[in-house]
Amino acid sequence: MITKVNAAVAYIQSRYSTQPLVGIVLGSGLGSFISEMKIKAEIAYTDIPHFPVSTVEGHEGKLIFGELGEKKVVAMMGRFHCYEGYTPQEVVFPIRVMKFLGITTLLISNAAGAMNLNFRVGDLMIIKDHVSLFTVNPLTGKNEEAFGPRFPDMSEPYSKRLIDKVKTIATKENILFKEGIYCGVTGPTFETRAEYKLLNIIGGDAVGMSTVQEVIAAVHMGLEVFAMSVITDLGIREEENKITHAEVLHAANEAEPKLTHIFKELVAAL
Ligand code: HPA
């Protein structure tokens, strides 16, 4: 794995050598954050040795290097999910590559369905913790000491420092936000009514098919992480409750400006 990461890093640095400090992973329908960046280089995933290639609608596959204010950032346009058939190690490969390019902070967004009955479509949720469900841990297998320890602590995967900064930003800008626990599942089915209920009972506020594995790899390597969900559907409703990918993308697009604003201000405050 480390050899593959090094090869990918060497290739990327041959195309663009400036070290980024912040890595950004954008969720379904949440990609227009990129337009806030002063873009310096774009590298297609298909060009990078060992990089997986994304397949799902609403995700494009490239690494985008640029500046946001004074800060050097790298954004993943398109991420990888287990439901596409990638192994957990492949899902987190880009996170490892960004770490070895030099990032110290990772910002993540995702689209998620709500179990918390106080949540509405379009809400932003600061992820304060997660529960990994039905997903294989991406650290399974031989541990690479160059990445991190065999048994990483997970008592604070989401940086309290960054959460506090975001709360200050959101309050100042009058952007309402929720806070909660994100349940990570494999998908690609949305949950059954019984599953949304179960996730609610175990303390989950929202559920989605990404993020958890990326965060585990990031914590393994000592990155400081902030993650935010956009609530795109409500899992627990008495009435008819069909959920479609189109609806998820639509809701994500609607809420995107608020999220983009928060990420922009957070990067400035780092
Ligand atoms: N469940 C799982 N993943 C999701 C959902 C959901 O309801 N909404 C967006 N991603």
Side-chain angles (χ1 to χ4, degrees), residues 25-187:
V25 185
L26 301 165
S28 305
L30 300 169
S32 79
F33 173 84
I34 307 290
S35 58
E36 299 289 326
M37 289 167 57
K38 194 155 134 214
I39 296 175
K40 299 286 186 177
E42 296 190 15
I43 305 181
Y45 293 163
T46 44
D47 289 348
I48 306 171
H50 312 296
F51 228 75
V53 175
S54 69
T55 59
V56 75
E57 187 195 333
H59 292 265
E60 288 173 43
K62 51 191 172 184
L63 273 188
I64 301 180
F65 291 83
E67 288 165 10
L68 203 66
E70 304 286 284
K71 304 279 169 30
K72 311 269 186 275
V73 303
V74 53
M76 280 180 72
M77 186 88 175
R79 57 140 65 105
F80 304 98
H81 308 82
C82 278
Y83 62 74
E84 294 172 272
Y86 299 110
T87 64
Q89 288 80 7
E90 286 171 321
V91 167
V92 304
F93 186 80
I95 310 297
R96 304 234 182 259
V97 169
M98 291 195 287
K99 159 75 184 182
F100 279 71
L101 286 169
I103 67 163
T104 54
T105 307
L106 182 67
L107 311 187
I108 295 181
S109 66
N110 61 49
M115 286 82 73
N116 186 317
L117 297 172
N118 297 318
F119 288 8
R120 296 289 165 265
V121 168
D123 278 355
L124 299 180
M125 182 186 90
I126 292 175
I127 301 180
K128 61 178 185 188
D129 207 343
H130 73 222
V131 181
S132 176
L133 289 156
F134 321 126
T135 68
V136 179
N137 194 301
L139 310 187
T140 305
K142 181 178 172 292
N143 187 54
E144 289 281 2
E145 288 296 323
F147 291 149
R150 170 74 291 186
F151 300 108
D153 170 70
M154 288 292 283
S155 61
E156 193 194 315
Y158 302 89
S159 160
K160 285 212 174 72
R161 190 181 81 93
L162 298 184
I163 289 175
D164 285 345
K165 278 187 191 296
V166 166
K167 285 183 179 171
T168 308
I169 291 163
T171 306
K172 194 173 111 230
E173 311 274 332
N174 265 327
I175 299 173
L176 296 179
F177 63 90
K178 303 284 200 317
E179 253 187 293
I181 292 172
Y182 176 89
C183 294
V185 296
T186 57

Side-chain angles (χ1 to χ4, degrees), residues 16-33:
Y16 184 71
S17 61
T18 308
Q19 178 189 342
L21 286 178
V22 184
I24 299 166
V25 185
L26 301 165
S28 305
L30 300 169
S32 79
F33 173 84

Side-chain angles (χ1 to χ4, degrees), residues 2 35 52 100 189 216 256 260:
I2 190 89
S35 58
F100 279 71
T189 43
I216 289 172
E256 184 172 29
T260 297

